Amino acid sequence: MSETHRSDAVTDRPDEVTDPLLWKLALEVADAHEPDGQGGCQNLLCAGEPWPCTAWNNAQRALRAAQRDVADEAPTPVAPSWSAAPMVPATRRSAA
């Protein structure tokens, strides 16, 4: 079984983190996608991709999202796709 060098960054977690699980997972992804020293990503899943790779960028986005305070964000208004007016059944036309 191979050893991993991932750190358990619970003690280094900033106070602003509101989602510890997302924070921990994002750190693990970022650690796994470090630069290889030659301008690429060291992770085999990113073979040939320049660093910063897509996975590392997504991990950074997740780290920022894990620190967001939901109360600070204004909710985006959503227009309802239905009418609040009561439904009135259609009347049948009588055949003349």
Side-chain angles (χ1 to χ4, degrees):
M1 188 162 223
S2 65
E3 282 188 41
T4 59
H5 298 288
R6 296 182 185 151
S7 62
D8 188 14
V10 174
T11 57
D12 296 338
R13 187 174 63 217
D15 293 336
E16 300 83 32
V17 171
T18 58
D19 191 337
L21 179 59
L22 179 59
W23 175 264
K24 183 178 183 301
L25 293 172
L27 276 180
E28 289 179 4
V29 170
D31 286 347
H33 291 268
E34 293 178 345
D36 63 4
Q38 299 171 353
C41 177
Q42 72 176 1
N43 194 293
L44 294 177
L45 296 174
C46 296
E49 191 172 342
W51 192 87
C53 63
T54 303
W56 189 87
N57 285 327
N58 288 338
Q60 298 306 308
R61 193 172 309 133
L63 287 169
R64 287 190 300 274
Q67 294 182 62
R68 277 194 200 134
D69 188 6
V70 180
D72 289 344
E73 294 181 13
T76 306
V78 177
S81 60
W82 48 272
S83 173
M87 297 282 294
V88 178
T91 56
R92 286 191 155 190
R93 291 191 215 175
S94 57

